[in-house]
Amino acid sequence: MMHALHRFLLLHLLTCLGLYALGSEIINGQNVPENLMLYMASVQNNGGHVCGGFLINEHFVVTAAHCERRNPTSVVLGTHNLQKVDNNTMRYRVKTCKFPSYENVNKGDDIMLLKLSRKARLGKKVQPIQLPNTEVKVKDKSKCRVAGWGFTKTGGEIVKDLRVVDVPIVNLEDCKNKWGHIGKNLPANIICAGGSGTNKGFCQGDSGGPLVCNGKAVGVVSFNYRANCDYPNKPNVYTDVSKYLTWIKKILKQNNC
Ligand SMILES: *[C@@H]1O[C@H](CO)[C@@H](O)[C@H](O)[C@H]1NC(C)=O
């Protein structure tokens, strides 16, 4: 009897502690099943993964403009495991198409298209994700998710397997206020989600990945507070895809940039 009670109490204690100690992932997320998020792209330079991205049709991946500094040369599609890349079938060379007025993350417009050198082979492992069709605002507190191969803790390293975490949308005014406390003015055309009021969010290496709400890619991972992923500190900031639809559609239509 005593034994069982002890065991129960110990388990209970571990479960409580575990809220913080266990499962530190994308930041407090989990592995993505092989048959989900088939639009995820690993944006790479010759040295390996530098950013996340997402496939929007057979020719283009969306990522963050600030990833251009890392000289992306290819994207990998069709695997959640970055140690299982078949260069012949999964790797695509890319040309970068940065949003024309992008200067730096502080000024916003942190979005870039990557034109694939050949058509993506769609199938059971590769499928594009839909973009929002109009400038519909994502409702506050909507349940959304972000995925990536980024660090699982501040100053960590790129992970082998794709991770995902649920993040709540943060009201834009609340977000601006929270960042305002440290004297930072956020740029226009952003969405805030996670990182604040939750211990979940993105981390370095997740840049360029999608914020997915109701099956649509509504945001692009842009920046967090001083590369500190010990949440909650400040809301995570995403580029609002719906504000760039005209530009995206133009490039998709001319199939070039
Ligand atoms: C696949 O391509 C990457 C990037 O170009 C390169 O670093 C890697 O060595 C290649 N792998 C194989 C097995 O050829």
Short mmCIF file of all heavy atoms in Angstrom, two decimals, residues 114-141:
data_model
loop_
_atom_site.label_atom_id
_atom_site.label_comp_id
_atom_site.label_asym_id
_atom_site.label_seq_id
_atom_site.Cartn_x
_atom_site.Cartn_y
_atom_site.Cartn_z
N LEU A 114 11.33 31.98 -53.00
CA LEU A 114 12.44 31.23 -53.57
C LEU A 114 11.90 30.49 -54.78
O LEU A 114 10.97 29.68 -54.65
CB LEU A 114 13.02 30.24 -52.55
CG LEU A 114 13.57 30.86 -51.26
CD1 LEU A 114 13.94 29.78 -50.26
CD2 LEU A 114 14.79 31.74 -51.56
N LYS A 115 12.45 30.79 -55.93
CA LYS A 115 12.01 30.12 -57.17
C LYS A 115 12.82 28.83 -57.34
O LYS A 115 14.06 28.87 -57.36
CB LYS A 115 12.25 31.07 -58.36
CG LYS A 115 12.13 30.42 -59.72
CD LYS A 115 10.73 30.51 -60.29
CE LYS A 115 10.50 29.51 -61.41
NZ LYS A 115 10.98 29.95 -62.71
N LEU A 116 12.13 27.72 -57.44
CA LEU A 116 12.81 26.43 -57.59
C LEU A 116 13.34 26.28 -59.02
O LEU A 116 12.70 26.72 -59.98
CB LEU A 116 11.84 25.28 -57.29
CG LEU A 116 11.06 25.34 -55.97
CD1 LEU A 116 10.18 24.10 -55.83
CD2 LEU A 116 12.00 25.46 -54.79
N SER A 117 14.49 25.62 -59.14
CA SER A 117 15.12 25.46 -60.46
C SER A 117 14.38 24.44 -61.33
O SER A 117 14.54 24.40 -62.54
CB SER A 117 16.57 25.01 -60.30
OG SER A 117 16.60 23.80 -59.57
N ARG A 118 13.57 23.58 -60.68
CA ARG A 118 12.72 22.67 -61.45
C ARG A 118 11.41 22.50 -60.67
O ARG A 118 11.36 22.82 -59.48
CB ARG A 118 13.40 21.32 -61.66
CG ARG A 118 13.70 20.57 -60.38
CD ARG A 118 14.35 19.20 -60.63
NE ARG A 118 14.19 18.34 -59.46
CZ ARG A 118 14.95 18.41 -58.38
NH1 ARG A 118 15.92 19.30 -58.29
NH2 ARG A 118 14.74 17.61 -57.36
N LYS A 119 10.39 22.03 -61.36
CA LYS A 119 9.08 21.86 -60.74
C LYS A 119 9.16 20.92 -59.54
O LYS A 119 9.79 19.86 -59.64
CB LYS A 119 8.13 21.23 -61.76
CG LYS A 119 7.02 22.16 -62.23
CD LYS A 119 6.31 21.51 -63.39
CE LYS A 119 4.82 21.47 -63.17
NZ LYS A 119 4.08 21.05 -64.36
N ALA A 120 8.52 21.30 -58.45
CA ALA A 120 8.48 20.40 -57.29
C ALA A 120 7.66 19.17 -57.66
O ALA A 120 6.62 19.28 -58.31
CB ALA A 120 7.87 21.10 -56.10
N ARG A 121 8.15 18.02 -57.24
CA ARG A 121 7.42 16.78 -57.50
C ARG A 121 6.39 16.58 -56.39
O ARG A 121 6.73 16.17 -55.28
CB ARG A 121 8.41 15.63 -57.52
CG ARG A 121 7.90 14.44 -58.31
CD ARG A 121 8.74 13.22 -58.04
NE ARG A 121 10.10 13.34 -58.57
CZ ARG A 121 10.93 12.29 -58.65
NH1 ARG A 121 10.53 11.11 -58.26
NH2 ARG A 121 12.14 12.44 -59.12
N LEU A 122 5.13 16.92 -56.68
CA LEU A 122 4.09 16.79 -55.66
C LEU A 122 3.69 15.33 -55.52
O LEU A 122 3.79 14.55 -56.45
CB LEU A 122 2.86 17.64 -56.04
CG LEU A 122 3.12 19.13 -56.29
CD1 LEU A 122 1.80 19.87 -56.51
CD2 LEU A 122 3.89 19.78 -55.14
N GLY A 123 3.26 14.98 -54.31
CA GLY A 123 2.86 13.59 -54.07
C GLY A 123 2.58 13.36 -52.60
O GLY A 123 2.18 14.29 -51.89
N LYS A 124 2.82 12.14 -52.16
CA LYS A 124 2.50 11.77 -50.79
C LYS A 124 3.38 12.47 -49.76
O LYS A 124 3.03 12.52 -48.58
CB LYS A 124 2.62 10.25 -50.62
CG LYS A 124 1.30 9.53 -50.91
CD LYS A 124 1.39 8.05 -50.57
CE LYS A 124 1.92 7.26 -51.74
NZ LYS A 124 2.03 5.84 -51.60
N LYS A 125 4.53 12.98 -50.21
CA LYS A 125 5.46 13.62 -49.27
C LYS A 125 5.56 15.12 -49.45
O LYS A 125 6.14 15.82 -48.63
CB LYS A 125 6.87 13.01 -49.45
CG LYS A 125 6.96 11.54 -49.14
CD LYS A 125 7.05 11.34 -47.65
CE LYS A 125 7.16 9.87 -47.31
NZ LYS A 125 8.39 9.52 -46.70
N VAL A 126 5.04 15.61 -50.55
CA VAL A 126 5.18 17.04 -50.88
C VAL A 126 3.85 17.60 -51.37
O VAL A 126 3.31 17.11 -52.37
CB VAL A 126 6.26 17.25 -51.98
CG1 VAL A 126 6.39 18.73 -52.32
CG2 VAL A 126 7.60 16.68 -51.56
N GLN A 127 3.33 18.58 -50.67
CA GLN A 127 2.10 19.27 -51.08
C GLN A 127 2.21 20.74 -50.68
O GLN A 127 2.74 21.04 -49.63
CB GLN A 127 0.89 18.66 -50.36
CG GLN A 127 0.42 17.31 -50.92
CD GLN A 127 -0.06 17.38 -52.35
OE1 GLN A 127 -0.67 18.37 -52.75
NE2 GLN A 127 0.22 16.35 -53.14
N PRO A 128 1.71 21.65 -51.53
CA PRO A 128 1.76 23.07 -51.15
C PRO A 128 0.72 23.40 -50.09
O PRO A 128 -0.23 22.63 -49.88
CB PRO A 128 1.43 23.80 -52.46
CG PRO A 128 0.70 22.81 -53.30
CD PRO A 128 1.13 21.44 -52.86
N ILE A 129 0.91 24.52 -49.41
CA ILE A 129 -0.09 25.02 -48.45
C ILE A 129 -0.77 26.24 -49.05
O ILE A 129 -0.16 26.99 -49.82
CB ILE A 129 0.55 25.36 -47.08
CG1 ILE A 129 -0.53 25.74 -46.06
CG2 ILE A 129 1.62 26.45 -47.20
CD1 ILE A 129 -0.03 25.85 -44.63
N GLN A 130 -2.03 26.41 -48.69
CA GLN A 130 -2.80 27.55 -49.18
C GLN A 130 -2.40 28.82 -48.44
O GLN A 130 -2.10 28.78 -47.25
CB GLN A 130 -4.29 27.32 -48.93
CG GLN A 130 -4.95 26.39 -49.92
CD GLN A 130 -6.46 26.47 -49.77
OE1 GLN A 130 -6.97 26.49 -48.65
NE2 GLN A 130 -7.15 26.52 -50.87
N LEU A 131 -2.48 29.93 -49.15
CA LEU A 131 -2.29 31.23 -48.51
C LEU A 131 -3.67 31.74 -48.13
O LEU A 131 -4.68 31.28 -48.67
CB LEU A 131 -1.61 32.19 -49.50
CG LEU A 131 -0.22 31.77 -49.97
CD1 LEU A 131 0.32 32.77 -50.98
CD2 LEU A 131 0.73 31.66 -48.78
N PRO A 132 -3.74 32.72 -47.22
CA PRO A 132 -5.06 33.32 -46.93
C PRO A 132 -5.56 33.98 -48.22
O PRO A 132 -4.75 34.51 -48.97
CB PRO A 132 -4.74 34.35 -45.84
CG PRO A 132 -3.28 34.60 -45.93
CD PRO A 132 -2.67 33.35 -46.47
N ASN A 133 -6.86 33.90 -48.51
CA ASN A 133 -7.27 34.45 -49.81
C ASN A 133 -7.57 35.94 -49.82
O ASN A 133 -7.57 36.55 -50.85
CB ASN A 133 -8.44 33.66 -50.43
CG ASN A 133 -9.25 32.94 -49.40
OD1 ASN A 133 -9.39 33.44 -48.28
ND2 ASN A 133 -9.79 31.79 -49.75
N THR A 134 -7.81 36.53 -48.66
CA THR A 134 -7.99 37.98 -48.64
C THR A 134 -7.34 38.55 -47.39
O THR A 134 -6.72 37.83 -46.63
CB THR A 134 -9.49 38.35 -48.56
OG1 THR A 134 -10.08 37.56 -47.53
CG2 THR A 134 -10.20 38.11 -49.87
N GLU A 135 -7.49 39.84 -47.20
CA GLU A 135 -6.92 40.49 -46.02
C GLU A 135 -7.80 40.28 -44.79
O GLU A 135 -8.22 41.22 -44.13
CB GLU A 135 -6.73 41.99 -46.26
CG GLU A 135 -5.42 42.30 -46.91
CD GLU A 135 -4.95 43.72 -46.64
OE1 GLU A 135 -5.27 44.29 -45.58
OE2 GLU A 135 -4.26 44.25 -47.52
N VAL A 136 -8.12 39.03 -44.50
CA VAL A 136 -8.92 38.74 -43.32
C VAL A 136 -7.99 38.68 -42.11
O VAL A 136 -6.96 38.02 -42.14
CB VAL A 136 -9.67 37.39 -43.46
CG1 VAL A 136 -10.54 37.14 -42.23
CG2 VAL A 136 -10.51 37.39 -44.72
N LYS A 137 -8.37 39.41 -41.06
CA LYS A 137 -7.55 39.43 -39.87
C LYS A 137 -7.74 38.11 -39.11
O LYS A 137 -8.86 37.63 -38.97
CB LYS A 137 -7.98 40.60 -38.99
CG LYS A 137 -7.04 40.89 -37.86
CD LYS A 137 -7.43 42.20 -37.17
CE LYS A 137 -6.72 42.34 -35.84
NZ LYS A 137 -7.20 41.41 -34.81
N VAL A 138 -6.63 37.54 -38.65
CA VAL A 138 -6.73 36.33 -37.84
C VAL A 138 -7.27 36.74 -36.47
O VAL A 138 -6.80 37.71 -35.89
CB VAL A 138 -5.34 35.68 -37.65
CG1 VAL A 138 -5.50 34.31 -37.01
CG2 VAL A 138 -4.61 35.56 -38.96
N LYS A 139 -8.28 36.03 -35.99
CA LYS A 139 -8.90 36.40 -34.71
C LYS A 139 -7.92 36.25 -33.55
O LYS A 139 -7.15 35.30 -33.51
CB LYS A 139 -10.12 35.52 -34.45
CG LYS A 139 -11.30 35.86 -35.31
CD LYS A 139 -12.59 35.33 -34.66
CE LYS A 139 -13.73 35.28 -35.63
NZ LYS A 139 -13.72 34.10 -36.52
N ASP A 140 -7.98 37.18 -32.60
CA ASP A 140 -7.17 37.08 -31.39
C ASP A 140 -7.47 35.75 -30.71
O ASP A 140 -8.61 35.29 -30.72
CB ASP A 140 -7.50 38.21 -30.42
CG ASP A 140 -7.14 39.57 -31.00
OD1 ASP A 140 -6.41 39.62 -32.01
OD2 ASP A 140 -7.60 40.58 -30.44
N LYS A 141 -6.47 35.17 -30.11
CA LYS A 141 -6.58 33.90 -29.39
C LYS A 141 -6.86 32.70 -30.30
O LYS A 141 -7.10 31.61 -29.83
CB LYS A 141 -7.67 33.96 -28.30
CG LYS A 141 -7.53 35.14 -27.35
CD LYS A 141 -7.29 34.69 -25.92
CE LYS A 141 -7.06 35.85 -24.98
NZ LYS A 141 -8.31 36.59 -24.69
#
